[in-house]
Amino acid sequence: MTIYSKTFDFAPVGLQMHELISHLYPICRSITGDGVRKTLHILQQHIPLKTYEVPTGTQVFDWTIPREWNVRDAYVKNSQGEKVIDFQQHSLHLLNYSIPVKKKMSLTELKKHLFTIQDRPDSIPYRTSYYSDNWGFCLTHKQLEGLPEDEYEVYIDSNLEAGNLTYGEYYLPGETEEEILFTCHICHPSLCNDNLSGISLVTFLAKHLKSLDLRYSYRFLFIPGTIGSIAWLALNENRTSYIKHGLVVAGVGDEGKFNYKKSRRGDAQIDKTVIHVLQNSGEDYQINEFSPYGYDERQFCSPGFNLPVGSLTRTPFGQYPQYHTSADNLDFVKPDKLGGSLAKYLEIVDILEHNYTYISTNPKCEPQLGKRGLYGNFGGTQDKKTKELATLWVLNLADGKYSLLDTSDRSGLDFAVIRDAANALYQGGLLERTNN
Ligand code: ZN
């Protein structure tokens, strides 16, 4: 089975990715708690990922694993006993990490704990308060404007106590211990593009790769944002030198063009590979330099690690009006865009898997290809010309400095054509692989 081909039909898998998102959408997730466990449990129906529990109070570099948060119910009732804000209707209604509350109060007092977005009056905002004790409700601005003076009953049935931070990891061993890392954040409640789309993509990527014979080992991480990647890095520091390439996966279901944010190194193989794929896609795209703001690349690319980890998204976080609101819903993420994003990730994997650097065993003048059956034996005329040219390019750049990807970029020939030419030359004993 092949990793990727332009002829694959990604429409059916796009629908399955969307279906998984629908399944996960109602769950109230946070950086800790049963919402994360429930989410990982659903993913285990697709891939054999392991879950890990890191106890509250564990020191992870400069951070400490916080108390675990769980919530059973939360609402605000008016004096008639009607629920005017109800967590059961939407997980975004509750300020994530709200402490337990049971109290009656006036509208003025209640308003100190209500969050809305004035210029998006139909959307519920997403708000959190992980590291300072607070409580609150999020609602549409329209809902807020409709609340009359009254005595309100606030009820939040939550726990904030010693427990664990939960994350999921699936390690897929390959021929070498060198790894490709794919990581996504799993801490957001009912929000689809940010980041159920990333969770779904990583799951289906792993599902696709797990039955193949692969050169690299693969690590798929499902971790809460920031504290999760810090915890993983602190607990797995000895594994990080194996990470040769990596991508932070987020925001891959909206209709925007692809955006690639380079690794801190800026010229890593992952950077060259993603840029190559986007440049040759025929689609509009944007390349962004690294900046220490964004998703978990902030941690993977911190100076003490400086790992070759970039981030491939569609519209970047914060640059679409639905971002971190209830409008980032099941309609906002499109099955064909999810499938199209998976296609890009597989194309990238396909190149990384085959991107060897070669040295010619016969570097002085051209070797005589004809007597080895490596010249003039190709199919149709146009095809033949391209394949001959690819063969010559591969041989000419086989000096141990150029990878096949460099050869594809420099010749303007398709990576697959270059790869096939190199394979034939390698089988024919004219090339040796380097360790790069
Ligand atoms: Zn977010």
Side-chain angles (χ1 to χ4, degrees), residues 126 185 187-188 191 193-195 294-295 317-318 320 323-324 328:
Y126 164 50
H185 61 278
C187 49
H188 288 25
L191 293 164
N193 201 39
D194 180 25
N195 191 31
Y295 292 114
F317 72 93
Y320 49 96
Y323 173 74
H324 279 192
D328 181 1

Side-chain angles (χ1 to χ4, degrees), residues 360-372 374-375 392 395-396 425 430:
S360 173
T361 55
N362 198 90
K364 291 180 176 160
C365 299
E366 293 175 353
Q368 198 186 343
L369 297 170
K371 70 178 183 193
R372 295 177 172 89
L374 290 167
Y375 205 70
L392 296 177
L395 280 170
N396 189 274
L425 291 166
L430 287 170

Side-chain angles (χ1 to χ4, degrees), residues 171 177 179 217 219 232 236-243:
Y171 179 72
E177 271 200 294
E179 290 179 16
S217 296
R219 194 177 294 277
W232 190 86
N236 296 276
E237 203 172 345
N238 61 337
R239 293 298 312 175
T240 55
S241 60
Y242 292 98
I243 298 172

Side-chain angles (χ1 to χ4, degrees), residues 58-61 228-238 240 305:
T58 307
Q59 193 69 26
V60 287
F61 299 123
S229 50
I230 293 171
W232 190 86
L233 284 163
L235 300 170
N236 296 276
E237 203 172 345
N238 61 337
T240 55
F305 288 106

